[in-house]
Amino acid sequence: MSLKSNPIDVHVGQRLRSLRLDKGLTQEELGASVAVSYQQIQKYETGMNRISASRLYLLARHLGVGPAYFFEDLDEASVAEPAASSARNAQGARAADRA
């Protein structure tokens, strides 16, 4: 498993951080509103941890936006390469298993 964060998770985290700051909330306040620690919010904001669909929905609802807000302005070119790379890695692993 790679230690590098997925560009989509990083983008979503950046949007979360920006919105949280716009609303004048601390990580602790936002975390408490959705029953996670401030450390977890910090990990979401850096893209270190992925946000589950249910948690993303709760965060969006608390912050007054739709879940799609977190994906706005996503650079399609930056997310296409990791997906292609993952597909190549999976194909290589299957070929190695057959050998």
Side-chain angles (χ1 to χ4, degrees), residues 14-53:
Q14 289 171 345
R15 300 282 291 176
L16 176 62
R17 178 177 171 79
S18 177
L19 186 57
R20 176 182 62 77
L21 292 173
D22 286 348
K23 300 286 183 175
L25 297 169
T26 65
Q27 291 174 334
E28 188 171 357
E29 291 167 333
L30 182 57
S33 73
V34 294
V36 299
S37 68
Y38 78 89
Q39 293 100 330
Q40 188 61 51
I41 295 296
Q42 185 177 45
K43 289 176 183 179
Y44 290 156
E45 290 182 353
T46 62
M48 182 182 289
N49 285 8
R50 290 183 175 156
I51 306 173
S52 70

Side-chain angles (χ1 to χ4, degrees), residues 1-98:
M1 186 163 160
S2 173
L3 295 178
K4 187 174 180 183
S5 297
N6 182 291
I8 298 170
D9 299 326
V10 172
H11 177 82
V12 169
Q14 289 171 345
R15 300 282 291 176
L16 176 62
R17 178 177 171 79
S18 177
L19 186 57
R20 176 182 62 77
L21 292 173
D22 286 348
K23 300 286 183 175
L25 297 169
T26 65
Q27 291 174 334
E28 188 171 357
E29 291 167 333
L30 182 57
S33 73
V34 294
V36 299
S37 68
Y38 78 89
Q39 293 100 330
Q40 188 61 51
I41 295 296
Q42 185 177 45
K43 289 176 183 179
Y44 290 156
E45 290 182 353
T46 62
M48 182 182 289
N49 285 8
R50 290 183 175 156
I51 306 173
S52 70
S54 58
R55 185 81 61 209
L56 187 66
Y57 176 82
L58 292 173
L59 287 163
R61 188 170 172 200
H62 180 76
L63 293 167
V65 297
Y69 167 86
F70 296 101
F71 300 97
E72 292 173 3
D73 302 324
L74 185 63
D75 180 14
E76 294 295 326
S78 70
V79 299
E81 180 58 30
S85 178
S86 294
R88 284 192 301 271
N89 290 342
Q91 289 172 348
R94 284 193 297 273
D97 287 344
R98 287 190 297 261

